[in-house]
Amino acid sequence: MTQTAIPFLFMRGGTSRGPYLNRADLPDDLETLAQVLIAMVGSGHPLNIDGVGGGNAVTTKVAMLSRSDDDWADIDYFFAQVSVEDRTVDFKPTCGNILSGVGPAAIEMGLIKAQNGETKLNIHAVNTRARVAATVQTPNGAVSYDGDAKIDGVPGTSAPVALQFMDTIGGATGAFLPTGNLIDTFNGVDVTCMDVAMPMVIAKADAFGLTGYESAETLNDNKDFFAAMEAVRIQAGEAMGMQNVAKSVTPKFGLLAPAKDGGTIATRYFMPWKAHPTMAVTGAQCLASCVLTPGTVAEGMAARSNDRPATITLEHASGQINVLVDYDVTADGIDLRSAGLVRTARLLARGEVMIPKSVLIR
């Protein structure tokens, strides 16, 4: 055989998509692993024409699963963000949308046994050390993808996957506020640098001359904005202790504006070099935390809920997403206990993905 075959599931998780793999089928060392994933996705071409990617950062994500040695967790979830065109792989972040498919994929792979009715499993997000409790619908002991749950950004309905995120503070930087400040100013732009589920730099849309209601396509065409945003992001990343982030997908960037369609606040999320067509699950948690924390750039833009837990509805480029946040306000900001979201997932295909022997020989 002139190529190496690797078993895989091809799944949509939330509003993202990509291959789900058994970690045991992949190289241990990250350099070789990165080359395998680049070949698998087809990074290096705007359409990923020579791989299973889709020409957009939400379709060049990879989930790698294994049984966990953690006393709490059932499954270890190792995530990789493969670039569309640059032939690079970032193992630092995680992805909550792809995580939506981890429970179903683990059952489909035989890594965990399904229960009759619904299956609860605990997931350890290896990249950020977060803990996530997932509930998957498994009538008759098999994963169901049919249901009435609908998420904006995905056509139709499917079975719900309930996610409860814990231990999400400081996963990348070690601190809720990595700079120690509620507001920092870079290049004349006020931002809040926050690390909850995903390290982010958050600003008001009008600081860049934007309304915050622009479509993802309109934002992607605004090269001046991206240049200004990237300059702020790089400075903020250094201030957050993340060193030179020019070639890293973290920290991500977010914009805020007053709500327009009945939500709590309007948001736009960046990956960071393109606007997200919807909203990242991890980013949603960070943005919701920013809204709930007094003194951030979100101050005065949304009515702060006194409910415990509080439902924060983020308006995004394709609709809305709800985040149920269990928290308390402290002198140091907020004490975030957990954040709950409902997503959906669907198995699209299963089989073997082929890797050229020039990349992987067995």
Side-chain angles (χ1 to χ4, degrees):
M1 183 179 288
T2 61
Q3 299 191 84
T4 300
I6 298 177
F8 83 124
L9 302 176
F10 196 51
M11 296 191 71
R12 174 185 62 77
T15 57
S16 295
R17 189 191 74 194
Y20 287 65
L21 307 159
N22 190 322
R23 186 68 178 92
D25 294 330
L26 298 164
D28 290 330
D29 71 283
L30 295 187
E31 287 189 12
T32 305
L33 176 61
Q35 294 306 308
V36 168
L37 300 184
I38 287 168
M40 185 180 300
V41 166
S43 177
H45 186 278
L47 299 178
N48 302 140
I49 200 70
D50 202 35
V52 299
N56 186 289
V58 299
T59 61
T60 57
K61 299 169 182 277
V62 181
M64 295 160 280
L65 313 185
S66 55
R67 292 189 180 94
S68 183
D69 293 329
D70 186 281
D71 290 340
W72 178 84
D74 301 299
I75 296 294
D76 281 348
Y77 158 53
F78 184 40
F79 171 75
Q81 177 67 67
V82 184
S83 69
V84 174
E85 296 188 64
D86 297 338
R87 293 184 59 80
T88 59
V89 179
D90 199 336
F91 294 110
K92 291 189 293 295
T94 193
C95 176
N97 273 302
I98 287 292
L99 192 149
S100 308
V102 167
I107 296 169
E108 297 277 9
M109 289 180 185
L111 295 175
I112 189 168
K113 182 177 175 58
Q115 304 301 307
N116 187 24
E118 61 181 28
T119 300
K120 298 180 183 294
L121 66 156
N122 293 333
I123 301 167
H124 171 223
V126 174
N127 307 67
T128 60
R129 300 183 298 278
R131 297 185 300 159
V132 185
T135 302
V136 181
Q137 300 305 303
T138 52
N140 302 314
V143 179
S144 173
Y145 300 102
D146 295 325
D148 297 327
K150 178 175 176 55
I151 60 174
D152 289 339
V154 176
T157 62
S158 188
V161 177
L163 302 172
Q164 197 74 21
F165 289 78
M166 298 160 279
D167 296 343
T168 58
I169 291 178
T173 65
F176 176 65
L177 297 170
T179 68
N181 305 316
L182 286 162
I183 293 180
D184 295 282
T185 304
F186 303 104
N187 284 12
V189 176
D190 288 346
V191 300
T192 293
C193 300
M194 188 170 282
D195 186 0
V196 178
M198 177 68 69
M200 287 193 66
V201 184
I202 305 167
K204 294 181 179 180
D206 62 13
F208 292 94
L210 301 171
T211 65
Y213 313 126
E214 291 84 357
S215 68
E217 293 79 7
T218 298
L219 290 167
N220 286 334
D221 289 339
N222 192 336
K223 305 305 179 186
D224 291 341
F225 158 65
F226 270 88
M229 179 187 71
E230 183 66 359
V232 172
R233 191 183 77 90
I234 289 173
Q235 292 182 49
E238 185 173 350
M240 294 167 76
M242 302 179 72
Q243 301 181 344
N244 186 354
V245 301
K247 294 185 178 180
S248 175
V249 299
T250 55
K252 300 295 174 69
F253 208 94
L255 295 179
L256 302 177
K260 183 181 180 183
D261 297 314
T264 306
I265 198 166
T267 62
R268 293 296 184 265
Y269 183 80
F270 301 87
M271 301 185 283
W273 302 297
K274 281 191 176 181
H276 200 293
T278 55
M279 173 57 65
V281 167
T282 48
Q285 295 171 65
C286 195
L287 290 166
S289 299
C290 184
V291 170
L292 290 169
T293 303
T296 69
V297 292
E299 185 74 40
M301 299 183 74
R304 191 174 296 114
S305 173
N306 292 318
D307 295 340
R308 303 290 192 277
T311 297
I312 305 299
T313 301
L314 304 178
E315 299 175 359
H316 57 70
S318 295
Q320 299 184 351
I321 184 172
N322 293 324
V323 187
L324 184 66
V325 185
D326 186 12
Y327 75 107
D328 197 10
V329 178
T330 71
D332 298 321
I334 65 170
D335 176 17
L336 182 63
R337 302 184 185 99
S338 66
L341 300 98
V342 173
R343 300 271 86 189
T344 65
R346 189 166 81 87
L347 177 63
L348 305 176
R350 69 168 82 239
E352 295 176 331
V353 61
M354 310 308 292
I355 306 299
K357 281 208 168 179
S358 59
V359 175
L360 183 62
I361 299 174
R362 284 183 177 163

